Amino acid sequence: MQYIISFLVLFFTIVLLSNSVQAENNKRILRTSFNTEILTLDPAIGYDWANYHTIIALGCRLLNIGNDSNTPETMLTPELATSYTISEDNKSYIFNLNDSWRFNNGRLIEAQDVKYSIERILAKNTNSPGAAFFEGILGYEDFYTGKMSHIVGIEVLGPHQIKFTLKRPQVSFLFGLTTNFGIIVPQEEVTKGNFDRYPVSCGPFMVDSFENNKLILKASPYHPKATEQSWDKIIFFLKENHNRAIIKLLKGDLDIILSYFTTSRAVNPYNDEELAKRLIQSDGLMLNTIFVAINRNIKPFDNLKVRKALNMAVNKKAIQNIFVGNAVVATQVLPPNMLGHNPQQTGYPYDIDQARTLLREAGYPNGFSTELLVLDEAWIIAVARTIQASLAEVGIQLTLKPVNLENFLKLAADPQQAPLVFSEGVAWIADYPDPSNFYLPLFSVKSTKGGWNWSFYNNPNTDLLAYNADAVVDPKLQTQRSKQWQTVFEQIHDDAAWIPLYHNQVYILKAPDIKIKKGASPYLNFSAFFSNYYETLYRE
């Protein structure tokens, strides 16, 4: 009997210890979700919300966005780079690299890897949506057209030193290095294949498994901050709609919901007492604009009067009142808290009579039929129906085309497939706080090929104005730079490339025991918060 009692004591002690260890291990697992699938983990390609904020955890870049100040000099912080210098003419940058940083396959990173990674973004066959950030590098055109096998403006000066030479000063160049397109990758891993699902880079995490609707990342032992990590694993549950994700959060099966919660009344956490307790809210508006892109390659949208008529026919106030109560109605492309926003610009008025007049003058007195591409999510479709009803008032018969994310991005990027594209649930939130981030991926000539320029806006004159604005690098000339960007976006407004709808707030929900590290407040800079969520969050 004594032996039996001793055995039972030992057994239950082992069980308790095992449970204690398991509980401690679970504390180091962050569980989160996205409401869409993840299409790719390749940093040269992925650019929607889920792709972007997962890829960031897998890669390292020369620079990172560290805080929310007013100039690039104080906003940017070194990551893989230990330091960098800028020439007096602001055209050349020399970066000194951390000589002990390794890829997650164990190999040391060298300057040649940086050169390869940026040239890969700019290669014609990559068709990267991030190419516009780096096309200002000297020699890009000859490389893109195949005249040169390399870019002369990217020089390896030593094993851990690299130089970039630009054609002109360019504020967006340094910012571009902070995006996922600036992530450094090893060529030998890219050429193995399957890089879209099992990429190798140099971030704090690496892919553990990626099957069905679950992606698991594990902490990399090679990362310089490996011992400082709060998490051993991050589990992403994919294609979790808002309602299902909220239920899992309240049950304790999720720690944070990275699918952003807009001010949509359908998912506004302030409508629920329990959810309101779990809220991380941005301070003011996110740097975002929800819009309808008008594809000018497809008739009748090649006609300026038709595009203006659409802008005047959509009742934005009705959308705000019904669906996004706390959002701000958009008068222009740039949000109110972005440099270059013009507070004097009132936008196109809601004017049904004038819209009908413009359609009549354009040769469409009875309107026409067309199609609106939307993400296949119930509340987004509901908003789209309000747009549909508005356009019906002027005789435009709008058919909604709800599709999943993969097909949405394919159709939106095809110049002949999607006449109108509703961006809700997909874009646009700034990667960094500068107007170049709205222009380069969304309106530049370069971004009409494989990018997110879904209106296929192609105006060389506006490109020139934008590049001149982007070349004003002196912080003392910030007012001048702002006015130049105003001119750029006023031209886009006059061309009616979009129907800007609203700028919204973003809400993030978390479990009660998930805390934010001191000094890592998302209230200042949501872009920086999301780029570093794996560092800024910990379990109490």
Side-chain angles (χ1 to χ4, degrees), residues 488-506:
V488 169
F489 286 97
E490 284 167 5
Q491 180 63 62
I492 292 170
H493 174 266
D494 291 344
D495 288 338
W498 279 6
I499 307 172
L501 296 173
Y502 50 89
H503 315 287
N504 53 21
Q505 289 183 336
V506 172

Side-chain angles (χ1 to χ4, degrees), residues 89-93 132 134-142 151-153 164-170 173 467 471:
D89 64 1
N90 289 291
K91 292 182 181 180
S92 294
Y93 299 78
F134 304 122
E135 64 173 358
I137 298 174
L138 185 67
Y140 154 72
E141 289 84 359
D142 287 344
I151 297 177
V152 297
F164 293 92
T165 302
L166 310 182
K167 293 175 287 187
R168 61 183 182 281
Q170 185 181 345
F173 171 71
Y467 292 149

Side-chain angles (χ1 to χ4, degrees), residues 428-487:
W428 181 255
I429 297 176
D431 306 311
Y432 56 81
D434 189 78
S436 61
N437 190 229
F438 274 76
Y439 187 81
L440 292 174
L442 302 174
F443 298 104
S444 68
V445 172
K446 173 62 184 174
S447 63
T448 58
K449 300 175 182 178
W452 284 49
N453 185 345
W454 299 333
S455 60
F456 296 91
Y457 187 76
N458 188 337
N459 189 330
N461 180 59
T462 313
D463 256 16
L464 180 60
L465 291 172
Y467 292 149
N468 288 339
D470 196 24
V472 181
V473 297
D474 188 344
K476 297 176 183 177
L477 300 177
Q478 196 80 322
T479 300
Q480 172 190 322
R481 187 166 183 267
S482 179
K483 290 180 178 178
Q484 287 182 251
W485 276 116
Q486 282 184 9
T487 302

Side-chain angles (χ1 to χ4, degrees), residues 80-384:
L80 175 60
T82 57
S83 62
Y84 65 97
T85 57
I86 307 175
S87 63
E88 288 188 12
D89 64 1
N90 289 291
K91 292 182 181 180
S92 294
Y93 299 78
I94 295 177
F95 291 88
N96 299 303
L97 311 185
N98 185 322
D99 60 6
S100 62
W101 201 313
R102 296 178 182 272
F103 286 117
N104 291 332
N105 62 5
R107 179 170 73 77
L108 283 169
I109 302 171
E110 296 190 351
Q112 182 60 43
D113 298 307
V114 178
K115 178 178 173 66
Y116 165 76
S117 299
I118 302 301
E119 287 186 340
R120 180 172 179 253
I121 295 293
L122 292 171
K124 190 173 186 178
N125 60 359
T126 303
N127 209 20
S128 171
F133 293 120
F134 304 122
E135 64 173 358
I137 298 174
L138 185 67
Y140 154 72
E141 289 84 359
D142 287 344
F143 175 74
Y144 185 79
T145 57
K147 292 180 181 178
M148 294 286 289
S149 61
H150 66 283
I151 297 177
V152 297
I154 307 178
E155 300 175 74
V156 173
L157 303 182
H160 298 97
Q161 190 176 63
I162 191 165
K163 179 180 180 180
F164 293 92
T165 302
L166 310 182
K167 293 175 287 187
R168 61 183 182 281
Q170 185 181 345
V171 172
S172 60
F173 171 71
L174 288 178
F175 278 127
L177 292 174
T178 71
T179 69
N180 64 303
F181 304 114
I183 284 176
I184 312 306
V185 297
Q187 183 174 2
E188 70 271 17
E189 297 290 348
V190 175
T191 55
K192 285 181 181 178
N194 207 23
F195 201 73
D196 60 330
R197 294 184 69 83
Y198 287 88
V200 174
S201 186
C202 44
F205 291 90
M206 52 202 297
V207 177
D208 186 26
S209 64
F210 189 5
E211 297 176 3
N212 299 321
N213 290 323
K214 184 191 289 187
L215 167 66
I216 301 177
L217 307 185
K218 62 182 178 181
S220 169
Y222 300 107
H223 194 266
K225 294 184 179 180
T227 58
E228 303 172 28
Q229 269 292 353
S230 299
W231 312 106
D232 293 327
K233 287 187 177 181
I234 303 178
I235 300 175
F236 297 92
F237 297 97
L238 310 177
K239 299 176 73 172
E240 293 274 9
N241 67 40
H242 289 307
N243 291 332
R244 190 163 59 240
I246 286 172
I247 291 170
K248 291 180 72 170
L249 184 77
L250 293 175
K251 287 175 60 180
D253 295 333
L254 275 185
D255 299 309
I256 187 168
I257 302 175
L258 285 176
S259 295
Y260 60 92
F261 284 74
T262 69
T263 43
S264 165
R265 298 185 192 282
V267 293
N268 190 330
Y270 278 127
N271 293 337
D272 185 286
E273 184 178 345
E274 281 303 308
L275 291 180
K277 296 175 184 176
R278 301 163 185 252
L279 179 64
I280 307 173
Q281 183 186 350
S282 63
D283 184 15
L285 294 174
M286 188 69 167
L287 292 174
N288 83 316
T289 302
I290 303 301
F291 61 90
V292 172
I294 307 173
N295 185 343
R296 54 206 287 149
N297 283 337
I298 298 177
K299 289 184 177 297
F301 303 121
D302 56 339
N303 190 308
L304 177 59
K305 290 184 177 181
V306 171
R307 299 197 300 272
K308 287 186 175 182
L310 263 64
N311 271 273
M312 292 182 177
V314 173
N315 190 344
K316 301 176 187 179
K317 195 67 179 174
I319 295 174
Q320 181 193 43
N321 291 339
I322 299 170
F323 295 103
V324 284
N326 295 330
V328 173
V329 169
T331 62
Q332 56 200 281
V333 169
L334 294 180
N337 47 347
M338 176 67 85
L339 177 79
H341 175 90
N342 184 356
Q344 308 304 317
Q345 187 171 311
T346 57
Y348 291 99
Y350 173 55
D351 190 332
I352 292 293
D353 291 336
Q354 182 59 23
R356 287 174 178 150
T357 298
L358 287 170
L359 287 175
R360 186 167 57 251
E361 292 175 355
Y364 299 94
N366 301 315
F368 53 86
S369 297
T370 190
E371 189 174 76
L372 177 65
L373 183 68
V374 299
L375 196 62
D376 190 5
E377 191 163 330
W379 85 268
I380 296 176
I381 294 170
V383 180

